[in-house]
Every structure is written in structure tokens, then in C-alpha cells.
Amino acid sequence: MPLQIIIIGAGAAGCFAAIQIKRLRPEAQVTVLEKLKRPLAKVAITGGGRCNLTNSFAQVKSLEQVYPRGFRLMKKLFHHFSHEDAYQWFEDNGIRLITQEDECVFPASQDAMEIVNYLTREMKNLGVKLLTDTQVDHIIDLSNQKTDGNSDSSASAVSNSPTGFCVKTNRDEMKADKVLVTTGGHPTGSGYRMLQDLDLEIIPSHPSLFSFNLSDEHLKSLMGTVVKDAIVFLPGTKLKAEGALLITHWGISGPAALKLSAYGARILAEQNYVTDISIRWLTDDQETIMLSLHELSLKHRDKKLTSVYPEAFNARLWEHLLMRANLSVDMRWKELSNKDINRLINTLTNDIYHVTGKNRFKDEFVTSGGVSLSSLKHKTLEAKNHPGLHFAGEVTDVDAITGGFNLQAAWSMAYVAAHAMTE
């Protein structure tokens, strides 16, 4: 009998794994089950519909920067299938890629459907069976079951097949020698119900890529303003993130805010997304900022504070920051006392706002949590207590910041799991 493999979830990891398995073992019978009507739905909208499929990692000094959870595992997996391997794989398969200035990698066509269409077409060409509108309810490890004389379908499956797995769906029951779960993240946790009969540790799920709702109406009136390099902190923690900061009509977004949401996903969830956030509008140290402000005051003594200001800001944001420092917009630079300058420096480096909630980031949705990595063998992504049951992608407790890193995790994990399942 040929190897029977069921993949649950037709997202990036599931479809990529299916292709790898069929190329490694053409005789294997691979079936992909997807609860939605179409495969790769999330890939189709990622990157604003352009598909940010990986990153050059040129600006990544440590994987912990981009993988708040799972960076140690990803470091191991990259020895087998790295971002460079992913780039080469797609180009070798006829998809030309480009790397942007921000190091994000996209198809040159700027069309996510090129990725979707290629993966689905290749699965079909290789003979992968795809079943959509198929919801998996339970996964039963037949080798762990005990026959007790019951006459229900599960007991019947056990008696007829003492090894392998029984996958119960809304349609019927299916048997497999091996199963790969690639169902993605589940914000409500409902997607892990299929695993309830298995002794796997599930880390509670929380959103991990979102922008912040703020209470300050004046700041929000500056919507559209961008500071190219800022640092945001969660007071009382060591968590901080640097990057461009965008002021929106609901609060703040942009790379800095999104990174912080990922780093602090669990802490923020515990606080029900109501907390304080500190913004460092200038990334220079305090001494450098002080020297810059003194230089401005010497060169432009008779000018108003609102007419001359650091290049990092526009006029509206600078006026807002002056108000935050309790400085009159009619003051002239020569009128600033040392106390005024110190107060302004404090605003520029530790400007605290109240967070009233989270706001989803466009069409991106990422969750922390999932199958605990302590439940898996890191070399094969196989469940320690269930040989033949593998996991890949966001269904595990691995997630990343925005920038193509989550899809890279999907490719790497799928590749490693596929090779392990075919050996």
C-alpha cells in the first residue's frame, strides 16, 4: 500500500508541504483538507494582496527580533530551509522575485495570486487531492486507542487499523498513515478542538499583530503623520520596538507599533489591551538631543519655537509636542530656560499615552499561542507522544512580526515536516 498522508489546512504551510511530499514520494497518496471554499485564502491577501513571501533578513541581527515566540526552533529549521532557500525555490519554479528597500521580498508581478495559482496548479499536476468545505472535527491516534467492544465508528476504525490515524470530518472518516496539521492560528482557540483527544499542550491564543487605540484626541487629529524612526515602550517592562511610527485616526500604527504588539502580545492580552505606552520620538540619546536643542536656540534665538524644529517632525506634530511639554507656541527660542529644555527633552524621549484597546492591522491577522513547541520533536516537528502526527506553521506556538517572516516560518516548517514524513 502506498503511503497515505492527510494534510489538514490548505494554507501556505499545507500546500507547500503537499508539493514537497509528492516530489519526494510520488507514489504517496496525499489529501489536503480545507474548511474554506478555496485554498490559500490568507496568502491571497497578505502584503496588501502582493504577498510578502519572505524577507532578506539583511537587517535582522538576531532571530529573536522577528520571532518573539519560536526563534530557537526557527534557527534550527533555517539550517534545512532558510529564507535564501525559499527565495531560490520560488525563482527555480518560475516566479521572479524582488527585494524592496525595506528588505521585504515580493513576486515581481506584485500579485499574490501568482503564488496562489502556482501552488494550487502544482498540487494538481502532482496528483494531490484537495477537498475544500471540509471541516475536521477530531484526529484519533489509532495506535493509542484500546479496543473495548464498543460498536461505534471510532471503535470499528480502531479494530480494523491498529496503527495510523483516523481523521473525522463533517463528511466522513478518513484513515492515514501520517497526518500534518497546518490549520494556522486560531484567535478564539476553537480551531484546536480537533486535537482534544490528544495529549498535547496548547498555549492559549492571543492576537499578536495589531495597532493601538489611544485616548489622546489631539494626537489622533494628526492622522497621516509619519515619524521615520521612533521607539515605543511598554512602561514597567523591558519591551520596546523601533521603526517608523504612523499616527492614525484611532491611535498609532506602523512598524514600531506592530513590532511592539507582537513582542507584548501576551502581556497586553493579560491587561485586556488597556495600558500606557511610551513614545520616544527621537532615537538619539538625551545628551545628543540636548546639544541639538541648544544649537537651535543659539542659531534661531529670535524665532518662534514653531518656526524652527528638528527635521524628524512636521509642523503639526512639533506643535503638539510643544503643548505636551507645556510650552507656549508663541515662545521664542531665546526664551527657553534650562527647565523648559529639560521638560521638552522628557517629552521627546518619554511621551506617555493611554491605550484603550487594539485595532487589527489591515488584512493581516496573526496569533501567538498554539501547539506548544515542548510537545514536538524539533528535528521533525512530530508530536512526541504521537509518532506520525506533525505540525507546521502558525498552528504551533511560533509567530513573527510583519515583514514576510510569518510566511517564511510556514515554508521552513512545511519543508522540514515534509521531509520527515517521507523518510
Side-chain angles (χ1 to χ4, degrees):
M1 285 285 291
L3 184 66
Q4 303 280 336
I5 292 178
I6 290 177
I7 298 175
I8 305 172
C15 293
F16 195 72
I19 291 170
Q20 300 300 321
I21 291 169
K22 287 294 288 185
R23 288 182 176 180
L24 292 165
R25 294 281 293 272
E27 77 284 1
Q29 294 187 4
V30 180
T31 302
V32 180
L33 309 179
E34 171 56 51
K35 68 177 181 179
L36 301 179
K37 295 183 181 297
R38 294 180 180 178
L40 297 159
K42 190 172 176 180
V43 173
I45 61 175
T46 188
R50 297 185 298 136
C51 191
N52 181 190
L53 54 82
T54 187
N55 191 283
S56 76
F57 284 72
Q59 297 177 353
V60 179
K61 296 178 181 178
S62 166
L63 288 186
E64 193 173 4
Q65 286 179 243
V66 294
Y67 293 104
R69 286 152 291 275
F71 68 93
R72 291 185 180 87
L73 172 64
M74 293 309 304
K75 186 175 182 179
K76 294 177 182 177
L77 300 185
F78 274 19
H79 290 300
H80 303 282
F81 195 81
S82 67
H83 56 284
E84 295 169 334
D85 296 321
Y87 192 106
Q88 193 63 49
W89 191 92
F90 282 101
E91 289 234 319
D92 287 347
N93 284 279
I95 299 172
R96 191 164 64 87
L97 304 179
I98 58 169
T99 303
Q100 297 184 162
E101 289 184 8
D102 61 2
E103 307 303 333
C104 294
V105 177
F106 289 85
S109 65
Q110 299 288 293
D111 185 3
M113 291 310 297
E114 182 180 11
I115 305 297
V116 172
N117 292 337
Y118 173 75
L119 294 177
T120 52
R121 184 172 63 249
E122 184 65 5
M123 285 196 298
K124 184 177 180 180
N125 291 341
L126 291 170
V128 174
K129 185 177 182 180
L130 173 63
L131 298 178
T132 57
D133 279 322
T134 304
Q135 173 71 50
V136 175
D137 298 320
H138 293 287
I139 302 173
I140 301 172
D141 184 348
L142 300 178
S143 63
N144 281 7
Q145 300 295 303
K146 296 180 180 179
T147 56
D148 55 8
N150 291 341
S151 58
D152 62 20
S153 59
S154 295
S156 175
V158 171
S159 62
N160 292 329
S161 179
T163 61
F165 298 87
C166 175
V167 177
K168 302 179 71 172
T169 75
N170 59 328
R171 298 186 178 203
D172 53 22
E173 295 183 4
M174 307 172 67
K175 296 177 185 177
D177 299 305
K178 299 185 179 183
V179 172
L180 174 61
V181 180
T182 60
T183 51
H186 303 285
T188 65
S190 60
Y192 301 109
R193 289 175 187 162
M194 71 178 73
L195 307 174
Q196 64 187 8
D197 296 327
L198 306 170
D199 52 340
L200 295 168
E201 181 186 4
I202 306 297
I203 306 298
S205 297
H206 301 295
S208 69
L209 191 61
F210 51 84
S211 56
F212 294 88
N213 297 334
L214 301 184
S215 60
D216 192 291
E217 295 299 330
H218 192 268
L219 181 71
K220 292 187 287 186
S221 71
L222 307 179
M223 59 184 179
T225 298
V226 176
V227 176
K228 291 184 178 180
D229 196 15
I231 303 176
V232 287
F233 302 81
L234 283 183
T237 75
K238 295 181 179 180
L239 299 176
K240 65 179 181 179
E242 183 174 351
L245 189 67
L246 168 67
I247 299 173
T248 69
H249 66 272
W250 63 83
I252 55 172
S253 185
L258 297 173
K259 288 179 189 177
L260 187 65
S261 77
Y263 299 155
R266 289 173 181 162
I267 291 175
L268 290 164
E270 290 172 0
Q271 298 173 334
N272 200 28
Y273 308 101
V274 177
T275 186
D276 287 336
I277 194 169
S278 173
I279 302 175
R280 187 182 183 100
W281 296 100
L282 294 175
T283 58
D284 293 328
D285 60 68
Q286 288 197 349
E287 185 177 350
T288 301
I289 295 172
M290 179 177 287
L291 290 172
S292 297
L293 293 178
H294 277 299
E295 186 176 349
L296 284 175
S297 66
L298 289 173
K299 285 185 176 180
H300 308 283
R301 289 176 51 79
D302 294 322
K303 292 185 178 180
K304 287 185 176 183
L305 297 181
T306 51
S307 63
V308 180
Y309 45 86
E311 294 181 358
F313 310 126
N314 61 26
R316 292 195 306 153
L317 178 56
W318 177 244
E319 184 174 323
H320 170 79
L321 294 174
L322 292 176
M323 293 170 58
R324 295 280 290 178
N326 292 320
L327 297 175
S328 170
V329 295
D330 294 321
M331 286 183 70
R332 299 184 185 278
W333 277 100
K334 67 182 180 182
E335 298 172 341
L336 281 181
S337 66
N338 287 336
K339 186 179 291 186
D340 292 332
I341 290 180
N342 288 335
R343 201 161 58 245
L344 180 55
I345 291 173
N346 185 64
T347 298
L348 294 174
T349 58
N350 186 31
D351 196 13
I352 297 177
Y353 296 87
H354 186 61
V355 177
T356 59
K358 61 179 174 61
N359 196 297
R360 202 174 83 178
F361 173 56
K362 297 183 179 179
D363 293 317
E364 306 282 0
F365 39 97
V366 175
T367 58
S368 67
V371 177
S372 171
L373 300 186
S374 65
S375 297
L376 306 179
K377 298 177 181 178
H378 289 191
K379 288 185 178 180
T380 61
L381 299 178
E382 182 180 35
K384 292 178 180 178
N385 296 333
H386 301 281
L389 177 62
H390 299 250
F391 294 85
E394 204 184 328
V395 69
T396 66
D397 188 24
V398 175
D399 63 279
I401 64 173
T402 185
F405 302 107
N406 281 293
L407 273 181
Q408 179 57 54
W411 312 135
S412 295
M413 297 176 81
Y415 181 92
V416 169
H419 278 254
M421 295 175 79
T422 54
E423 289 178 354

